[in-house]
Amino acid sequence: MAVPKRKTSKQRRNKRRASSYQLPKTTVVECPNCHESKLPHRICPKCGYYDGKEVISMED
């Protein structure tokens, strides 16, 4: 049975564990109506459009 030759240092152990703690990157898409960035599957906060239709009217 394989046995480690040396003790794993705290730094090496923590570096290995840190990779699983990273938060995933948020997905951002471009609004086809006003070309501003928005979250996918949500109404555009700038123009109020979703799927090519005006869902909420935005006052200028």
Side-chain angles (χ1 to χ4, degrees), residues 26-29 37-45 50:
T26 58
T27 307
V28 179
V29 296
S37 43
K38 69 176 191 82
L39 294 173
H41 306 288
R42 284 166 181 80
I43 298 169
C44 177
Y50 180 75

Side-chain angles (χ1 to χ4, degrees):
M1 189 163 111
V3 177
K5 205 163 231 187
R6 300 236 186 280
K7 177 182 177 178
T8 305
S9 68
K10 294 174 196 168
Q11 184 178 9
R12 187 174 290 274
R13 175 199 66 199
N14 292 339
K15 275 197 284 189
R16 183 179 64 242
R17 290 179 180 174
S19 66
S20 64
Y21 296 140
Q22 292 173 349
L23 292 172
K25 301 268 193 274
T26 58
T27 307
V28 179
V29 296
E30 184 184 282
C31 174
N33 189 51
C34 65
H35 305 289
E36 292 284 331
S37 43
K38 69 176 191 82
L39 294 173
H41 306 288
R42 284 166 181 80
I43 298 169
C44 177
K46 304 289 183 197
C47 65
Y49 274 71
Y50 180 75
D51 197 28
K53 301 174 195 111
E54 187 178 9
V55 179
I56 54 174
S57 61
M58 304 301 283
E59 298 297 325
D60 289 331

